[in-house]
Amino acid sequence: MEDAREACAVPSCGEPGEFRAPLTPGNFDGPGQYQYLCLDHVRAFNARYNFFEGMSPDEIEEAQSPIAGWQRQARTFAHLGADPAPAWSDFADPLDAIAARFRSGQRGRVERFSGAERAALDTLGLKEDVDRTGLRKRYSELVRKYHPDRNGGDRSFEKKLGAAIEAYQLLKGSRAFA
């Protein structure tokens, strides 16, 4: 066989050893030692293998417990005496609220938009509670309103159109709409 590393570890067997079976149980220092067995001998090994061999009834019960490993003291993430957590309503994304709590140097409410983004919202005539769909609708309205093709070739609205496009480009990449 291609996967065989050596002959089966059983002395009277001439088959290739394709399957790894533990000689010694693994511990925290490493995985332990292994032997390679053929298919028939690894089946026999697995049939008689007992994980709980050498354990007392109390140790077996503890190992089979559904909460095994959860009894130890856990580190708390509460900031004792620190400012209260921000309100969930302040965030569009719950993960933003969790991350905001642990950002260094920030206290209280985390702003959804930067100053430049708020200015862009004003340019588009939107409030801070707008969602991505509202942003796209307003942008489409303004492009239709100010585009020269929609105004009989009148170019007097070009500056307003450019400002709307620039504001939309800034806002569509904002983390508030991510």
Side-chain angles (χ1 to χ4, degrees), residues 130-146:
V130 70
D131 61 351
R132 183 176 283 280
T133 305
L135 174 67
R136 273 187 293 214
K137 274 186 184 179
R138 182 64 180 155
Y139 172 68
S140 294
E141 289 170 8
L142 292 176
V143 167
R144 281 193 300 269
K145 181 178 178 181
Y146 295 137

Side-chain angles (χ1 to χ4, degrees), residues 4 15 28 40 43 59 68 93 95 102 106 136 148 150 177:
E15 295 291 316
F28 292 109
D40 292 333
R43 284 181 176 159
E59 290 171 328
D93 178 9
L95 294 178
F102 296 101
Q106 290 190 347
R136 273 187 293 214
R150 297 293 298 252
F177 297 114

Side-chain angles (χ1 to χ4, degrees), residues 94-160:
L95 294 178
D96 255 356
I98 295 167
R101 172 85 174 146
F102 296 101
R103 285 191 194 114
S104 62
Q106 290 190 347
R107 299 275 180 208
R109 185 168 185 240
V110 174
E111 295 295 327
R112 184 173 174 207
F113 296 102
S114 69
E117 291 169 343
R118 277 196 292 282
L121 286 171
D122 288 341
T123 301
L124 295 175
L126 296 170
K127 295 183 179 175
E128 289 193 25
D129 62 349
V130 70
D131 61 351
R132 183 176 283 280
T133 305
L135 174 67
R136 273 187 293 214
K137 274 186 184 179
R138 182 64 180 155
Y139 172 68
S140 294
E141 289 170 8
L142 292 176
V143 167
R144 281 193 300 269
K145 181 178 178 181
Y146 295 137
H147 200 278
D149 290 346
R150 297 293 298 252
N151 292 311
D154 184 7
R155 295 180 165 263
S156 62
F157 298 109
E158 275 187 349
K159 285 186 181 177
K160 288 183 179 181

Side-chain angles (χ1 to χ4, degrees), residues 7 34 51-52 59 67 75 77-78 85 98-99 112 140 148-149 175:
Y34 292 95
F51 176 81
F52 302 108
E59 290 171 328
I67 59 169
R75 178 174 80 134
F77 290 99
I98 295 167
R112 184 173 174 207
S140 294
D149 290 346
R175 71 176 179 85

